């Protein structure tokens, strides 16, 4: 059961230290889906590569305020956030390559794992949900994202190497929970690049469900050409081609995600 703070947005980190699993794609499109379903949503791009920013059509220059500036001065957070464009309920806190310097600059700081929590505390009451896209590593930026979050969604590709990385990530989540953030839980596991023609896909999915049960989302994200094309157009797949298999899957995921939130709220007396 998620120990959500009494006021403000629920903060969800999208994390997987393995690259190429659809993490940023899932962050962009789940945030878009939740916004389209009527929730005020903020997407925080905490990956110095900036793919979530460019995936929503935001080109960030060094002169523009972005997440790096917020780490240096949290009071700049609200001024760094910008509308995503055509999605009314979706906002973006963008990043650029400068963010990579944070790991060096915070190395000797006290409580360096809580800087992002301070940043988001400036705006947490402005939104219903905040999604954080992390770099494909378990470094300080990801540690900050986990320390700031109420829960974590783990996108994973249906292959055996993904299972090995998953166990390492789960250990990291437990470590953060015990050391920095007692409210952190695993929100769910999302199976991506799902190929129904591949027997290995079913075997890996079965193994994951065996260990994580209802934490595994019913919705799976298929391999889909439109999902590969949409980032180059600066759009979510839902904007790019709303009838594509990828778009339909992420809209279904958004509905499943929000239904789970309603159930959790009812259990905790917040309904």
């Amino acid at each position: 059961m998620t120990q959500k703070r009494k006021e403000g947005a629920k903060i969800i980190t999208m994390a997987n230290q393995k690259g190429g699993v659809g993490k940023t794609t899932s962050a962009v499109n789940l945030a878009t889906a939740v916004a389209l379903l009527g929730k005020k949503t903020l997407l925080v791009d905490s990956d110095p590569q900036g793919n979530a920013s460019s995936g929503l059509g935001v080109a960030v220059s060094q002169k523009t305020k972005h997440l790096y500036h917020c780490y240096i001065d949290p009071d700049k957070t609200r001024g760094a956030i910008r509308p995503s464009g055509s999605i009314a309920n979706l906002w973006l806190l963008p990043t650029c390559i400068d963010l990579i310097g944070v790991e060096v600059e915070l190395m000797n700081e006290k409580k360096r794992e809580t800087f992002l929590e301070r940043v988001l505390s400036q705006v947490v009451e402005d939104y219903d949900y905040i999604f954080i896209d992390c770099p494909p590593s378990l470094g300080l930026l990801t540690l900050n994202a986990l320390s700031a979050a109420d829960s974590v969604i783990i996108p994973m590709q249906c292959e055996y190497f993904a299972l090995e990385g998953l166990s390492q990530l789960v250990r990291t989540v437990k470590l953060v929970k015990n050391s920095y953030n007692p409210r952190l839980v695993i929100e769910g596991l999302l199976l991506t690049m799902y190929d129904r023609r591949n027997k290995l896909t079913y075997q890996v999915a079965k193994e994951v469900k065996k260990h994580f049960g209802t934490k595994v989302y019913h919705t799976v994200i298929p391999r889909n050409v439109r999902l590969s094309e949409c980032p180059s157009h600066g759009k979510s797949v839902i904007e790019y081609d709303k009838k594509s298999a990828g778009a339909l899957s992420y809209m279904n995921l958004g509905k499943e995600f929000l239904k789970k939130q309603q159930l959790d709220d009812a259990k905790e007396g917040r309904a």
Side-chain angles (χ1 to χ4, degrees), residues 167-180:
S167 61
Q168 183 182 359
L169 181 54
V170 169
R171 286 195 297 270
T172 300
V173 170
K174 289 180 179 178
L175 176 63
V176 172
K177 181 181 180 69
N178 292 334
S179 302
Y180 306 118

Side-chain angles (χ1 to χ4, degrees), residues 32-222:
T32 299
V34 170
L36 287 170
L37 291 167
K39 302 298 182 182
K40 292 185 69 176
T41 305
L42 173 65
L43 176 60
V44 178
D45 189 351
S46 189
D47 184 347
Q49 296 179 81
N51 290 335
S53 300
S54 61
L56 285 177
V58 175
V60 181
S61 69
Q62 291 182 333
K63 297 178 181 178
T64 308
K65 287 187 176 69
H66 47 76
L67 184 57
Y68 172 79
H69 300 109
C70 302
Y71 265 93
I72 303 305
D73 182 1
D75 289 338
K76 293 182 178 179
T77 303
R78 190 169 275 110
I81 292 171
R82 63 195 68 188
S84 67
S86 59
I87 306 297
N89 284 320
L90 181 60
W91 287 263
L92 174 71
L93 178 49
T95 194
C96 82
I97 196 65
D98 290 356
L99 187 65
I100 203 167
V102 163
E103 300 215 356
V104 176
E105 294 179 33
L106 297 186
M107 190 176 297
N108 297 318
E109 293 286 337
K110 294 181 179 179
K111 296 185 177 179
R112 58 186 179 273
E113 71 284 343
T114 64
F115 270 65
L116 185 56
E117 184 175 14
R118 294 177 224 173
V119 169
L120 297 182
S121 69
Q122 304 291 313
V123 297
V124 70
E125 294 183 2
D126 297 346
Y127 303 96
D128 297 312
Y129 294 99
I130 297 175
F131 293 93
I132 307 172
D133 184 38
C134 294
S137 69
L138 294 178
L140 186 57
L141 289 172
T142 298
L143 179 59
N144 264 267
L146 292 172
S147 296
D150 296 295
S151 61
V152 56
I153 291 177
I154 305 172
M156 61 170 292
Q157 192 175 352
C158 291
E159 60 173 35
Y160 275 117
F161 286 130
L163 292 174
E164 294 179 2
L166 178 60
S167 61
Q168 183 182 359
L169 181 54
V170 169
R171 286 195 297 270
T172 300
V173 170
K174 289 180 179 178
L175 176 63
V176 172
K177 181 181 180 69
N178 292 334
S179 302
Y180 306 118
N181 180 6
R183 72 181 181 276
L184 183 66
V185 297
I186 294 177
E187 181 80 33
L189 283 86
L190 175 63
L191 300 177
T192 63
M193 304 179 192
Y194 198 92
D195 187 350
R196 299 184 187 279
R197 300 166 298 178
N198 190 333
K199 183 181 290 187
L200 179 60
T201 293
Y202 286 97
Q203 292 173 342
V204 173
K206 182 178 179 181
E207 191 70 19
V208 173
K209 290 174 182 176
K210 176 183 174 182
H211 289 283
F212 291 93
T214 57
K215 291 284 186 183
V216 183
Y217 287 107
H218 292 296
T219 304
V220 298
I221 308 302

